[in-house]
Amino acid sequence: MDRKQLSQKRWPISRIEEYMRKLGVIKGVNYVPSYCYGYIEMWHHYDEATILRELDYATEIGINSMRIFVSTAQWQTHRDLVYANLERFLDACKNRGISIMLSLAAGTCIKKGYVQKLTDPIIIHFRPGIHDRSWQFEGTDRDAWKDNRQTIRDFVKDIVSRYKQDDRIAIWDLYNEAPKDRIEVVEDIFEVARAINPMQPLTACWEALDLSDVVTFHCYMDPESNKPTFPMGGRKTFDQEIGEALSMNRPVLCTECLGRTIGNELYKFLPIFEQHKIGFYVWGLCEGSAQYRFPWHWPEGSPEPKRWFHGLLYPDGTPYDESEIPLIQSFTYEL
């Protein structure tokens, strides 16, 4: 199926607008439990007591949705474990009225060569002050998608088919940050998901806006700056990111935001999101092992920044910045 045909498979605007009205105003977080170094560990070491406590913290401060990740690699080697723990998490969220955006790390975390056993330890090289850079585990390869496109298709087919009529999943985020150099595999994934025809809408940011039912984007830029402030290369300014997303004339969600250290503050961007009817998922709930409070490329061992980069709460549920909680709780717009 070519790109034009895939684009034509999107839901009609009226259908996605009605779906999002029923879903409600999204006030979400990208969730990794505080004891985990990254999302990989969450499905291997599922500490239910901690997770339930943190879900309660989330509801207390007004969070009603979570974006979580499952990778091809874990599906390849620990499928039963991942699905069992995912079921526990989905039930816990549903019981608390928390919707789920399930993001598939489909083309960025794939097994190649060595296959890790369930009994093998996950090797964590802890480095103080270093923002989570451990989105892969032993034996994975970011470029393996080139030779494993069928494996990726099989993963997407399996997980989307499994939950295609499950109301615990609200939205499928089929590829995290779809880049130009992986357009082929991104199109593969959308083609597979469209053939399954799930009850939930599909999305992916960056190079998949024209394929998405609901439009999503990531933005860590300072709303008050006319230059990209993203320290890892950047794409566009804050206004350019929003303008591109809104130009699709579909409901819009910002699925990654909050980079205080570089000026991406809740008090700056939430009023703008309200104005343009954009739901959000900030990065990080409770600070912890992943050290999300430190920016990318922070000098190892250096003191904390004056303003945390990511994260809303301390591990015990205390807000990092008390003034931010009313902003989240009062955030709304007419659907």
Side-chain angles (χ1 to χ4, degrees), residues 26-313:
I26 297 293
K27 302 188 288 186
V29 294
N30 287 269
Y31 181 63
V32 174
S34 60
Y35 66 89
C36 294
Y37 70 88
Y39 78 87
I40 290 287
E41 188 181 6
M42 177 178 177
W43 306 121
H44 282 255
H45 304 146
Y46 193 87
D47 182 344
E48 188 164 52
T50 299
I51 289 172
L52 295 181
R53 182 172 63 250
E54 293 180 354
L55 293 181
D56 288 338
Y57 293 159
T59 58
E60 288 170 7
I61 65 170
I63 295 300
N64 61 19
S65 192
M66 291 192 171
R67 181 172 179 250
I68 57 171
F69 299 80
V70 174
S71 74
T72 305
Q74 289 177 291
W75 176 84
Q76 287 174 279
T77 62
H78 302 86
R79 192 175 315 176
D80 291 344
L81 177 68
V82 170
Y83 279 146
N85 287 333
L86 179 58
E87 284 290 324
R88 296 163 72 186
F89 185 76
L90 293 177
D91 281 344
C93 287
K94 183 174 182 178
N95 290 340
R96 290 162 175 77
I98 298 173
S99 65
I100 295 296
M101 175 182 284
L102 188 53
S103 185
L104 306 183
T108 55
C109 193
I110 306 162
K111 297 301 289 183
K112 184 179 182 180
Y114 166 77
V115 176
Q116 185 170 352
K117 300 176 184 177
L118 184 59
T119 55
D120 290 346
I122 298 176
I123 301 172
I124 306 170
H125 301 288
F126 181 77
R127 297 168 63 190
I130 298 299
H131 183 104
D132 167 35
R133 306 303 300 157
S134 51
W135 280 54
Q136 299 179 68
F137 67 138
E138 196 89 22
T140 59
D141 185 344
R142 281 185 173 271
D143 291 323
W145 69 268
K146 298 174 183 178
D147 302 317
N148 291 271
R149 286 171 65 179
Q150 188 56 52
T151 298
I152 295 169
R153 291 174 68 97
D154 291 344
F155 162 55
V156 174
K157 182 178 180 180
D158 185 60
I159 193 167
V160 176
S161 296
R162 185 184 184 98
Y163 294 106
K164 67 180 182 179
Q165 296 295 325
D166 194 323
D167 65 3
R168 296 175 299 174
I169 304 291
I171 301 170
W172 292 102
D173 187 16
L174 293 180
Y175 198 108
N176 181 53
E177 298 183 343
K180 287 183 179 180
D181 64 352
R182 295 178 188 171
I183 287 297
E184 293 173 286
V185 73
V186 172
E187 292 175 352
D188 280 353
I189 292 168
F190 270 88
E191 183 174 354
V192 169
R194 288 296 180 204
I196 296 167
N197 192 28
M199 61 177 278
Q200 310 93 342
L202 311 180
T203 192
C205 71
W206 289 13
E207 301 300 325
L209 300 190
D210 60 320
L211 306 180
S212 299
D213 300 317
V214 56
V215 174
T216 53
F217 71 100
H218 293 174
C219 190
Y220 293 108
M221 268 63 83
D222 184 345
E224 297 176 355
S225 175
N226 60 4
K227 296 180 180 180
T229 54
F230 191 66
M232 296 173 70
R235 296 180 72 241
K236 301 176 177 68
T237 66
F238 184 91
D239 288 343
Q240 287 170 338
E241 287 282 10
I242 286 184
E244 180 183 47
L246 293 173
S247 72
M248 305 305 292
N249 296 313
R250 287 174 171 268
V252 175
L253 300 171
C254 182
T255 47
E256 288 189 23
C257 52
L258 188 56
R260 299 183 189 91
T261 314
I262 54 175
N264 188 248
E265 295 264 12
L266 285 163
Y267 74 86
K268 292 182 181 180
F269 64 75
L270 286 188
I272 299 171
F273 285 179
E274 277 192 334
Q275 177 187 351
H276 294 288
K277 301 183 178 182
I278 297 172
F280 67 87
Y281 291 84
V282 300
W283 192 277
L285 180 64
C286 296
E287 173 54 19
S289 297
Q291 303 186 108
Y292 292 135
R293 65 191 182 279
F294 295 96
W296 309 292
H297 302 320
W298 196 249
E300 184 172 353
S302 297
E304 287 187 10
K306 292 181 179 179
R307 291 285 287 166
W308 276 10
F309 192 52
H310 296 329
L312 297 174
L313 308 173

